[in-house]
């Protein structure tokens, strides 16, 4: 059913909301930023003070906290404030001072890599912590920069540049986050509108499907009974009425999607039996019917039923002929020839089928008669929906021939 397809689509599109996408992107961006700073740290430790193990321990601590912070963020979808604070206090504040106290760092270049980590920490702080906590963490990072660079005798230019970098990282990350959230909300709203429109369209299509089914079954039965041409108490008429009452009951209870669509031969036979219960004799012949999808079998059966109903209502004859054959195999009606060794040619895909409904009534002039609702929707429309087509051939005095073909 159409509504069920919408539900399946909702479950299948597990791509997350716009906000979730924005969060994932920002986590990845700040991770790359931190990775660039850690790379500088590895190179710096390898070149300066290799005889001081405290620098290697400091670098290991920074790597460990980075793995904890970003690993948890990638797993949970966003930063854990506890991990952010641990990164700020250890990596951003304690590490530079520990390197000065125990790592033998007395020069600005040797301390610079640790200060760089404060810049990537400030970016996460600006988006992951509440405003007051974020301002407090930034103040701690700025204070660490001022103290650390003062201890190693850095110039004011170096100090000003690093503080500016720290604050700029926080501001730019916050701006990016604001923009991404805004775009995420717009995307979610657009998706919600599109889904609502698709749901509305699906509901309309489902109503149309039910209307066509009612036209082909219940309305056809009531029209025949009202015309008085059959005995309403006949067992076959009562059986048909009972089946259609059960269908109406399912429709009212919103369980019409439980209707079973049998394979093609059984589906056509069910349609023929349904019309024969209204005292129309049908001569049916089936030849090498292929396996088709359930929706195609249902379309063939429903379209054939409506064509037979039209025979009973309009042809002025009590006899119709239905033929169903496979298309593309021996005896098929698509013109496919057999190869020299007697095998079928390359069909290029699954076999199709052709169903014809013929009557020997008075016929009509197609140029003067406008097709009715049943012919347009229940015959042409049903076949078109499954990739097939229906053609109607008639002339005055020549009867009517309806051909249903799939694929079209």
């Amino acid at each position: 059913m159409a509504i069920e397809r919408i539900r399946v689509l909702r479950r299948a599109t597990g791509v997350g909301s716009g906000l979730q996408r924005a969060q994932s992107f920002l986590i990845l961006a700040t991770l790359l930023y931190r990775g660039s700073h850690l790379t500088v740290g590895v190179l710096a430790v390898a070149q300066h003070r290799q005889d001081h193990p405290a620098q290697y321990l400091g670098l290991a601590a920074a790597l460990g906290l980075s793995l904890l912070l970003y690993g948890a963020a990638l797993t949970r979808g966003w930063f854990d404030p506890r991990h952010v604070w641990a990164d700020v206090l250890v990596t951003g504040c304690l590490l530079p001072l520990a390197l000065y106290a125990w790592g033998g760092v007395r020069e600005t270049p040797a301390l610079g890599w640790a200060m760089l980590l404060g810049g990537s920490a400030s970016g996460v702080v600006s988006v992951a912590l509440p405003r007051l906590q974020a301002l407090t963490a930034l103040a701690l990072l700025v204070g660490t920069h001022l103290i650390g660079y003062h201890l190693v005798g850095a110039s004011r230019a170096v100090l000003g540049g690093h503080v500016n970098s720290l604050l700029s990282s926080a501001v730019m990350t916050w701006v990016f986050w604001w923009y991404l959230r805004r775009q995420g909300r717009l995307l979610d709203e657009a998706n919600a509108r599109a889904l609502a429109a698709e749901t509305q369209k699906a509901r309309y299509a489902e109503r149309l499907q039910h209307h066509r089914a009612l036209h082909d079954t219940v309305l056809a039965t009531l029209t025949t009974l009202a015309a008085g041409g059959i005995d309403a108490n006949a067992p076959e008429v009562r059986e048909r009425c009972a089946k259609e009452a059960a269908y109406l009951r399912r429709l009212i209870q919103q369980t019409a999607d439980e209707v079973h669509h049998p394979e093609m031969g059984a589906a056509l036979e069910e349609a023929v039996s349904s019309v024969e219960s209204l005292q129309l004799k049908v001569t049916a012949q089936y030849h090498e019917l292929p396996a088709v999808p359930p929706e195609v079998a249902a379309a063939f059966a429903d379209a054939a039923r409506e064509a037979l109903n039209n025979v009973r209502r309009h042809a002025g004859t009590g006899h119709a002929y239905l033929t169903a054959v496979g298309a593309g195999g021996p005896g098929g009606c698509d013109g496919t020839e057999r190869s020299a060794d007697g095998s079928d040619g390359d069909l290029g895909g699954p076999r199709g089928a052709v169903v014809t409904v013929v009557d020997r009534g008075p016929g009509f002039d197609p140029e003067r008669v406008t097709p009715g609702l049943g012919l347009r929707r229940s015959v042409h429309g049903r076949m078109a929906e499954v990739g097939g087509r229906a053609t109607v051939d008639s002339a005055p005095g020549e009867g009517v021939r309806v051909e249903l073909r799939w694929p079209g």
Side-chain angles (χ1 to χ4, degrees):
M1 301 299 286
I3 297 301
E4 181 61 25
R5 288 197 294 270
I6 291 295
R7 298 192 187 106
V8 172
L9 180 62
R10 284 173 172 171
R11 293 193 295 266
T13 55
V15 295
S17 66
L19 178 60
Q20 291 171 333
R21 297 181 187 183
Q23 290 175 333
S24 298
F25 178 83
L26 198 65
I27 293 172
L28 180 60
T30 54
L31 173 60
L32 294 175
Y33 193 33
R34 171 58 63 90
S36 67
H37 291 171
L38 290 173
T39 301
V40 173
V42 171
L43 296 176
V45 171
Q47 294 177 3
H48 299 283
R49 301 288 184 179
Q50 298 186 13
D51 55 337
H52 284 79
Q55 293 200 24
Y56 294 99
L57 292 176
L59 180 60
L63 285 170
L65 280 171
S66 298
L67 289 175
L68 174 64
L69 174 64
Y70 289 98
L74 291 171
T75 301
R76 300 177 52 183
W78 195 235
F79 297 103
D80 187 328
R82 296 172 300 175
H83 299 160
V84 175
W85 271 112
D87 185 60
V88 168
L89 295 176
V90 177
T91 304
C93 297
L94 294 180
L95 179 59
L97 300 180
L99 291 178
Y100 176 82
W102 298 295
V105 174
R106 295 295 183 269
E107 300 173 353
T108 300
L111 189 64
W113 71 268
M115 293 299 193
L116 279 176
L117 294 173
S120 53
S122 69
V124 176
V125 160
S126 65
V127 299
L129 296 180
R131 181 173 301 176
L132 182 59
Q133 293 187 35
L135 292 175
T136 301
L138 288 175
L140 291 173
L141 293 172
V142 170
T144 300
H145 273 64
L146 294 176
I147 295 172
Y149 279 122
H150 175 73
L151 292 174
V152 297
S155 65
R156 291 185 178 180
V158 172
L159 178 59
H162 275 266
V163 171
N164 176 70
S165 176
L166 187 149
L167 296 177
S168 297
S169 297
V171 172
M172 287 190 294
T173 305
W174 183 86
V175 171
F176 291 155
W177 177 228
W178 170 83
Y179 177 78
L180 290 171
R181 281 188 301 176
R182 180 175 179 272
Q183 295 303 112
R185 285 195 296 268
L186 293 176
L187 177 62
D188 288 341
E189 292 171 1
N191 287 338
R193 290 193 297 270
L195 184 60
E198 187 65 23
T199 303
Q200 182 71 16
K201 180 180 177 181
R203 286 174 177 167
Y204 174 77
E206 193 167 25
R207 287 198 301 270
L208 182 61
Q209 181 179 355
H210 290 322
H211 292 167
R212 290 188 305 194
L214 291 173
H215 175 275
D216 300 347
T217 56
V218 179
L219 183 58
T221 302
L222 292 176
T223 302
T224 302
L225 291 174
I230 61 175
D231 181 8
N233 292 319
E236 59 272 16
V237 175
R238 297 181 62 172
E239 180 182 357
R240 171 165 174 152
C241 290
K243 290 181 179 179
E244 293 175 358
Y247 171 74
L248 284 175
R249 190 175 299 109
R250 289 194 301 269
L251 184 61
I252 293 173
Q253 295 173 349
Q254 299 296 316
T255 59
D257 54 343
E258 297 174 1
V259 176
H260 175 62
H261 298 306
E263 53 125 23
M264 185 173 174
L268 289 172
E269 192 61 30
E270 182 180 325
V272 169
S273 299
S274 174
V275 178
E276 284 184 326
S277 67
L278 297 179
Q279 298 183 358
L280 175 70
K281 181 180 179 181
V282 180
T283 300
Q285 293 182 340
Y286 309 102
H287 180 68
E288 294 189 355
L289 293 181
V292 298
E295 62 272 15
V296 175
F300 268 122
D302 292 338
R305 179 188 292 110
E306 177 58 18
L308 292 170
N309 281 331
N310 283 337
V311 172
R312 183 186 48 75
R313 288 194 295 258
H314 306 301
T317 177
H319 195 175
Y321 302 86
L322 182 145
T323 304
V325 298
C333 51
D334 62 345
T336 302
E337 298 182 355
R338 298 172 67 90
S339 60
D341 62 357
S343 61
D344 296 338
D346 183 6
L347 303 179
R351 295 178 57 199
V354 176
V355 175
T356 57
V357 176
V358 178
D359 69 73
R360 296 175 181 173
F364 62 90
D365 186 349
E367 295 183 357
R368 294 185 178 182
V369 177
T370 301
L373 177 66
L375 191 60
R376 291 198 311 271
R377 291 186 176 179
S378 298
V379 178
H380 290 284
R382 275 202 172 98
M383 294 305 299
E385 286 177 357
V386 295
R389 62 183 172 90
T391 56
V392 180
D393 183 21
S394 181
E398 298 295 331
V400 179
R401 181 178 187 273
V402 178
E403 180 183 277
L404 312 174
R405 179 181 291 269
W406 180 88

